[in-house]
């Protein structure tokens, strides 16, 4: 019986050790998660402070930060140019598709009401005689507008 008692004690001790190590690992993981959350909050606050500083000093940067503020301003200009290029691509894509059947993609005859390949009804989305269209992106604009609201082109 002595043998079985020793084995039982060893198993009980090993179980306690495993349970204790599991608790330690669980607690360590929980604390690491809390640390990661706090670090994310700190980074977010740093970003907010930096953005607030930039907003206050972008027009008249201090000597120490002039280079970084100039870099940020240049990046904003690049973003604006990229967005304009995207809008122009979208406008070109729409213009290219204007004379095509929306169902099968076949070229549609000017003024046709139905596709001559598949018979689908064609949308007659032509601007009315009194509407205005931007000469650059071909989107509708208000007749009193000085500039296109989509691409910024000066209107006549």
């Amino acid at each position: 019986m002595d043998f079985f008692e020793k084995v039982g004690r060893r198993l009980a001790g090993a179980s306690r050790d495993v349970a204790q190590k599991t608790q330690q690992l669980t607690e360590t993981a929980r604390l690491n998660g809390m640390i990661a959350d706090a670090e994310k909050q700190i980074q977010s606050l740093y970003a907010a402070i930096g953005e607030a500083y930039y907003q206050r000093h972008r027009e008249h940067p201090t000597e120490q930060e002039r280079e970084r503020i100039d870099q940020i301003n240049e990046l904003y200009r690049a973003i604006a140019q990229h967005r304009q290029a995207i809008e122009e691509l979208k406008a070109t894509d729409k213009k290219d598709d204007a004379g095509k059947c929306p169902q099968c993609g076949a070229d549609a005859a000017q003024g046709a009401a139905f596709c001559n390949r598949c018979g689908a009804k064609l949308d007659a989305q032509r601007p009315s005689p009194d509407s205005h269209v931007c000469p650059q992106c071909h989107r509708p604009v208000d007749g009193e507008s000085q500039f296109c609201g989509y691409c910024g082109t000066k209107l006549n």
Side-chain angles (χ1 to χ4, degrees), residues 18-33:
V18 168
Q20 186 178 6
K21 288 194 188 282
T22 301
Q23 272 185 318
Q24 287 174 343
L25 287 172
T26 302
E27 184 64 11
T28 301
R30 186 182 72 80
L31 292 170
N32 279 329

Side-chain angles (χ1 to χ4, degrees), residues 18-56:
V18 168
Q20 186 178 6
K21 288 194 188 282
T22 301
Q23 272 185 318
Q24 287 174 343
L25 287 172
T26 302
E27 184 64 11
T28 301
R30 186 182 72 80
L31 292 170
N32 279 329
M34 292 172 67
I35 290 169
D37 287 344
E39 288 174 338
K40 284 180 188 176
Q41 289 177 355
I42 288 170
Q43 291 302 316
S44 178
L45 291 169
Y46 278 155
I49 290 169
E51 184 175 355
Y53 182 90
Y54 169 76
Q55 294 299 331
R56 281 193 306 275

Side-chain angles (χ1 to χ4, degrees), residues 93-152:
D93 191 35
K94 286 182 182 178
K95 189 172 82 174
D96 290 345
D97 288 344
K100 299 205 180 274
C101 171
Q103 191 73 28
C104 70
D107 288 333
Q110 184 93 16
F114 296 92
C115 175
N116 59 0
R117 181 185 291 167
C118 71
K121 183 165 178 59
L122 301 174
D123 292 333
Q125 296 178 348
R126 294 187 181 81
S128 63
D130 59 333
S131 69
H132 299 278
V133 177
C134 172
Q136 180 67 31
C137 69
H138 306 288
R139 291 188 177 183
V141 293
D142 187 324
E144 294 153 10
S145 296
Q146 298 280 330
F147 294 88
C148 175
Y150 295 99
C151 70

Side-chain angles (χ1 to χ4, degrees), residues 38 46 58 60 69 83 86 88 106 115 118 133:
Y46 278 155
R58 68 181 175 191
H60 306 289
I69 287 177
R83 285 187 175 144
I86 289 170
E88 289 172 2
C115 175
C118 71
V133 177

